[in-house]
Amino acid sequence: MQLTDIKKRMELPVIMAPMFLISNPDMVVGACEAGIVGTFPALNARTKDVLDSWMAEINERLQESKEADSTDKIAPWGINFISHSSNKRFHEDLQLIEKHQPPIVITSLGDPSPVVEAVHNYGGLVLSDVTDIKFAKKALEKGSDGLILVAAGAGGHAGVLNPFAFMDEVRSFFDGPVALAGTITKGEQVLAAELLGADFAYVGTHFIATKESGASAAYQESIIQSAAADIIYTPAFSGIPANYLIPSIVKAGLDPENLPEKAGLDFKKLSNSSAKAWKDIWGAGQGVGGTRKTQTVQEAVTELKTAYNQAKNIHQLT
Ligand SMILES: Cc1cc2nc3c(=O)[nH]c(=O)nc-3n(C[C@H](O)[C@H](O)[C@H](O)COP(=O)(O)O)c2cc1C
């Protein structure tokens, strides 16, 4: 699938980012029906059988929506696949991708080439999630069609590069599809991402506080109450630096100022804590202050679209 075909089917140049334990078929379908790309991490489906049924469900529901209203723009959907030997379901999940043919596959970690081969066979698009220039070049060498630049401040495993610098440098050697990720919660920021040279804004944290989201009520409330000062960037919980909500760390009985350095998978042993990364220690990006209420995915997209169009009008952009 080409970038222009994808864009034609979208109401707004936004990809709802995949989020561990949060994204689910309702969010994906809600996003696509609202006219943005909906995605989820394959591993959110606890088994390969669950993944099989989730992917079938998404395709069926989106097909029904298209048949119900052919004038409506139903955006394509995508799946996030860990393209690394640490992924115990690597082969099974890749087979399911070949079976259900999600139009977009987002690779994280590792070498995307096995995924590229499988996805290109059915005409899908592969985007690779990268946090620096070295990984960006590597992903392109391995055949990825496009990049997702995860800039500083993004929720989850973020990079440390400023988005202006990151975008500009990537555009000096690549003119294909690029999504910019990190702290985007507003329609104006979606337009800003486009002005920097991105084809899409990649939005995660903002969709945690949606009715369809898998996040608990307490997690969603914490998103609504928090601001940038409540975010900490630490490798303590997963071994790779990521952004988390400080209130969840405190709630788990831990001192955010005295977290074990680089503890990663040994975190439990070192801290004597039973808290689990992502389930109890909540991920969120520095843009969290831009999310002040819980709404449906459709409402969130409508709000983003209204602000995006207003910003375009103010700046007299077509
Ligand atoms: C709670 C949470 C879980 C995430 N899980 C994943 C994941 O499983 N796979 C992945 O590629 N990215 C994951 N991310 C990163 C997002 O896909 C995206 O890059 C990020 O949310 C964008 O920044 P923003 O949150 O500031 O909008 C996660 C982010 C958050 C907040």
Side-chain angles (χ1 to χ4, degrees):
M1 179 169 258
Q2 297 296 313
L3 179 66
T4 44
D5 300 323
I6 294 174
K7 287 258 184 164
K8 256 190 263 164
R9 288 166 56 188
M10 295 177 76
E11 286 281 341
L12 186 70
V14 169
I15 298 174
M16 188 180 73
M19 290 181 283
F20 187 52
L21 305 184
I22 307 245
S23 323
N24 55 39
D26 284 344
M27 280 181 94
V28 174
V29 171
C32 297
E33 287 179 347
I36 65 166
V37 171
T39 70
F40 72 98
L43 294 175
N44 272 12
R46 279 178 298 110
T47 63
K48 75 169 177 31
D49 293 337
V50 174
L51 181 62
D52 194 14
S53 71
W54 279 19
M55 291 169 93
E57 178 191 337
I58 291 168
N59 273 333
E60 270 164 32
R61 287 173 64 185
L62 292 178
Q63 188 55 35
E64 278 167 22
S65 304
K66 276 182 209 156
E67 283 162 13
D69 184 356
S70 60
T71 59
D72 218 6
K73 282 190 179 171
I74 309 288
W77 64 284
I79 194 163
N80 172 222
F81 178 81
I82 309 280
S83 188
H84 191 260
S85 51
S86 62
N87 180 358
K88 294 193 179 80
R89 287 192 352 218
F90 191 102
H91 296 290
E92 294 99 309
D93 287 3
L94 198 53
Q95 275 170 4
L96 290 173
I97 287 175
E98 288 172 310
K99 177 178 172 190
H100 295 286
Q101 308 192 347
I104 298 170
V105 178
I106 296 164
T107 66
S108 306
L109 309 171
D111 172 3
S113 47
V115 183
V116 170
E117 199 188 330
V119 175
H120 282 181
N121 276 341
Y122 67 80
L125 187 88
V126 178
L127 302 176
S128 291
D129 184 306
V130 295
T131 50
D132 66 27
I133 299 293
K134 191 180 86 192
F135 288 126
K137 287 187 170 164
K138 231 180 198 162
L140 295 173
E141 275 164 23
K142 297 286 180 185
S144 283
D145 301 301
L147 301 170
I148 295 160
L149 312 186
V150 187
H157 294 131
V160 292
L161 283 175
N162 175 289
F164 283 80
F166 203 177
M167 213 37 251
D168 190 50
E169 205 164 320
V170 165
R171 278 297 181 222
S172 73
F173 59 83
F174 181 60
D175 63 3
V178 173
L180 183 61
T183 82
I184 298 172
T185 63
K186 299 266 161 51
E188 303 87 299
Q189 296 164 342
V190 173
L191 182 62
E194 282 192 308
L195 291 175
L196 292 184
D199 299 292
F200 305 101
Y202 198 70
V203 180
T205 298
H206 191 53
F207 288 104
I208 295 175
T210 54
K211 302 235 160 73
E212 296 89 337
S213 142
S216 66
Y219 188 172
Q220 298 204 20
E221 187 54 29
S222 186
I223 291 278
I224 289 165
Q225 298 298 332
S226 296
D230 299 308
I231 301 298
I232 187 169
Y233 185 65
T234 173
F237 301 103
S238 74
I240 304 170
N243 283 307
Y244 299 97
L245 283 162
I246 292 172
S248 67
I249 297 171
V250 174
K251 197 170 159 204
L254 299 164
D255 177 0
E257 297 198 358
N258 283 301
L259 292 171
E261 281 280 315
K262 296 190 177 171
L265 299 177
D266 288 336
F267 169 71
K268 277 183 219 135
K269 208 163 58 191
L270 291 174
S271 70
N272 278 333
S273 168
S274 61
K276 285 197 176 133
W278 311 111
K279 182 172 179 284
D280 308 301
I281 309 296
W282 299 326
Q286 288 176 1
V288 67
T291 307
R292 298 292 77 168
K293 58 180 181 289
T294 302
Q295 51 191 343
T296 62
V297 170
Q298 173 76 63
E299 286 162 350
V301 175
T302 302
E303 200 173 82
L304 286 171
K305 195 179 153 193
T306 305
Y308 172 83
N309 286 332
Q310 275 170 359
K312 267 188 152 177
N313 287 337
I314 289 168
H315 299 288
Q316 298 184 335
L317 300 165
T318 52

